[in-house]
Amino acid sequence: MKKVLTITLLFAALLLIAVPSQASDKPVQLALFNPVQIFGEDQSIAGLRLSLIYGKNVNVTGIDAGLVTATTGDFTGIQYGLVHLVNGDGTGFQMGGVNLVDGSFFGLQYGWFNSANHMEGLQLGLINTTKTAQGVQIGLLNFIKTDGFMPFFPIVNWSFK
């Protein structure tokens, strides 16, 4: 477990160095619950966001951890927590009970319930759902609404179209 955490943190550090941020992005966000957070929900975070109960920001790049995290724009990086809500696109790794991406997700979603409008990569959970995919779903219930091996298939489903 320590090895996985070390690799994850190393990946996050490299991601922060490699991804240029906007001058207006804030490097750290600490939120008890929105609007009780250091920076307002209209700000983007490039670095670390900790949401003790519920945090909300426009775009987040880097490490995002908390009970409930909401991103009204795009997310790039690593998310740990209970519920992750991304209104735009997501890239990286989501590990939570519920991972929801309204746009496209590129990477790994790992949780009880994973959902993306378009998924490229791997969804690993009890229930996985996407409209279109270029990847694999592994779980109890797997749904790829368009162009999947099957629209629904238990244990594993895939699409590479």
Side-chain angles (χ1 to χ4, degrees), residues 89-113:
D89 295 331
T91 301
F93 175 65
Q94 289 183 309
M95 180 177 173
V98 176
N99 302 304
L100 304 175
V101 177
D102 289 343
S104 296
F105 184 80
F106 305 91
L108 169 64
Q109 286 184 313
Y110 176 76
W112 299 319
F113 181 81

Side-chain angles (χ1 to χ4, degrees), residues 24-69:
S24 62
D25 290 352
K26 307 302 181 193
V28 176
Q29 171 72 296
L30 178 63
L32 180 58
F33 55 83
N34 185 40
V36 181
Q37 51 189 41
I38 296 172
F39 300 107
E41 67 182 65
D42 61 338
Q43 298 294 309
S44 292
I45 307 302
L48 173 66
R49 176 170 73 167
L50 295 175
S51 304
L52 301 177
I53 298 174
Y54 171 72
K56 183 177 183 181
N57 290 98
V58 177
N59 298 303
V60 176
T61 301
I63 298 174
D64 192 9
L67 284 179
V68 178
T69 63

Side-chain angles (χ1 to χ4, degrees), residues 134-158:
Q134 294 252 336
V136 176
Q137 298 174 317
I138 300 172
L140 185 61
L141 305 173
N142 302 292
F143 301 88
I144 301 176
K145 297 174 184 160
T146 306
D147 294 334
F149 166 69
M150 297 286 285
F152 162 75
F153 207 75
I155 310 305
V156 65
N157 200 359
W158 63 88

Side-chain angles (χ1 to χ4, degrees), residues 28 96 124 126:
V28 176
L124 183 61
L126 293 177

